[in-house]
């Protein structure tokens, strides 16, 4: 049986900065849907929305989304600082309509704590955050939007929430490259995120909006259904 839900003091963007701060100057930065294929065959879809809001000392981002790949459905909410480093995370993963994993994360200066609940038990881990740290669930493609915020760096520390692991990855700019979306070619810039398992390729338009993500070693492609508006 899945453990009873634990009430955690999850870092809340609204509680930290106040509802008034979020109401004034909040902007939708990116919003859309992806079709996900594996070896050319459709296996899932993802919808997402990313907003930016003013906060003391800078800006914050909040990304929400729902992903369905094969029989696995995930809903998630990620809050970051202005550089894309995580300050809050919530996720629930279900397989064939059965809840199999619940994640809760919260940040504090230079640290990010992650609490994981599964059908077999609970665990917790704390990560050290350095400049450029990102939280990327590789089965959640809109998270790769935040690679664009770190693209000026040569490497970045990546937290993988479902596996509760952390690793250092290289960032490489691949220049400009067109991406065909719904019959239109969108001019984009390509960034590679590389570790020992191979690259993750990310395409973003001139405003930093996500166009396409591929994981070549797994045959995975996440392509936007419609051009950004």
């Amino acid at each position: 049986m899945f453990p009873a839900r634990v009430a955690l003091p999850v870092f809340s963007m609204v509680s930290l900065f106040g509802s008034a701060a979020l109401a004034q100057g909040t902007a939708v930065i990116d919003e859309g849907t992806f079709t996900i294929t594996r070896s050319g065959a459709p296996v899932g879809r993802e919808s997402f929305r990313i907003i930016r809001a003013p906060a003391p000392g800078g800006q914050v981002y909040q990304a929400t989304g729902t992903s369905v790949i094969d029989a696995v459905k995930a809903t998630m909410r990620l809050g970051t600082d202005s550089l894309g480093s995580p300050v809050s995370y919530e996720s629930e993963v279900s397989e064939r309509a059965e809840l199999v994993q619940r994640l809760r994360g919260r940040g504090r200066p230079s640290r990010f704590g992650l609490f994981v609940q599964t059908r077999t038990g609970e665990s917790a881990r704390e990560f050290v955050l350095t400049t450029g740290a990102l939280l990327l669930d590789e089965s959640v493609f809109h998270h790769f939007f935040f690679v664009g915020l770190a693209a000026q760096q040569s490497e970045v520390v990546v937290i993988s929430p479902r596996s509760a692991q952390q690793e250092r990855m290289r960032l490489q700019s691949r220049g400009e490259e067109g991406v065909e979306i719904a019959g239109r070619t969108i001019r984009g810039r390509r960034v590679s995120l590389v570790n020992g398992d191979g690259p993750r390729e990310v395409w973003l338009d001139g405003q930093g909006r996500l166009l396409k993500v591929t994981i070549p070693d797994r045959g995975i492609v996440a392509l936007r259904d419609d051009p950004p508006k």
Side-chain angles (χ1 to χ4, degrees):
M1 184 175 180
F2 200 83
R5 182 165 182 167
V6 177
L8 296 175
V10 175
F11 193 100
S12 167
M13 306 297 279
V14 174
S15 62
L16 178 67
F17 302 117
S19 58
L22 289 179
Q24 298 177 8
T26 297
V28 176
I29 300 302
D30 202 1
E31 184 173 23
T33 59
F34 289 102
T35 293
I36 303 159
T37 60
R38 183 188 300 120
S39 301
V43 294
R45 290 179 60 79
E46 179 175 323
S47 60
F48 71 97
R49 188 171 191 251
I50 300 170
I51 65 171
R52 184 178 61 203
Q59 296 178 319
V60 296
Y61 292 87
Q62 190 171 90
T64 56
T66 299
S67 169
V68 179
I69 301 176
D70 297 322
V72 178
K73 178 180 179 180
T75 59
M76 68 294 299
R77 180 185 299 271
L78 170 63
T80 82
D81 65 14
S82 60
L83 299 177
S85 292
V87 294
S88 67
Y89 190 59
E90 302 176 27
S91 175
E92 291 189 349
V93 180
S94 301
E95 187 170 357
R96 293 181 174 86
E98 181 182 356
L99 184 64
V100 296
Q101 187 183 64
R102 180 181 290 125
L103 302 174
R104 296 291 183 271
R106 68 183 295 250
R108 58 188 179 87
S110 76
R111 295 289 190 274
F112 187 79
L114 186 66
F115 183 84
V116 183
Q117 291 178 288
T118 68
R119 289 173 290 189
T120 58
E122 303 171 351
S123 63
R125 184 172 178 187
E126 187 170 76
F127 302 92
V128 176
L129 294 183
T130 59
T131 301
L134 300 177
L135 184 146
L136 298 177
D137 183 330
E138 288 195 346
S139 297
V140 177
F141 295 96
H142 72 271
H143 283 179
F144 286 88
F145 164 89
F146 296 98
V147 171
L149 301 183
Q152 301 303 314
Q153 303 180 73
S154 61
E155 61 179 23
V156 64
V157 172
V158 174
I159 297 170
S160 300
R162 292 196 209 185
S163 62
Q165 298 296 315
Q166 184 180 36
E167 64 177 322
R168 190 172 295 275
M169 302 180 74
R170 301 189 308 277
L171 278 169
Q172 299 173 349
S173 175
R174 301 296 190 186
E176 293 188 354
E177 186 175 313
V179 177
E180 186 172 339
I181 298 174
R184 287 179 52 191
T185 298
I186 309 298
R187 186 176 180 181
R189 61 187 177 106
R190 180 178 173 184
V191 179
S192 296
L193 192 62
V194 184
N195 68 356
D197 296 329
R200 289 78 169 155
E201 305 289 351
V202 182
W203 285 260
L204 305 123
D205 74 1
Q207 297 183 46
R209 297 172 298 191
L210 200 55
L211 301 175
K212 179 181 176 181
V213 178
T214 68
I215 307 178
D217 289 357
R218 291 165 50 191
I220 296 290
V221 176
L223 180 65
R224 198 176 184 116
D225 292 317
D226 299 293
K229 297 179 181 179

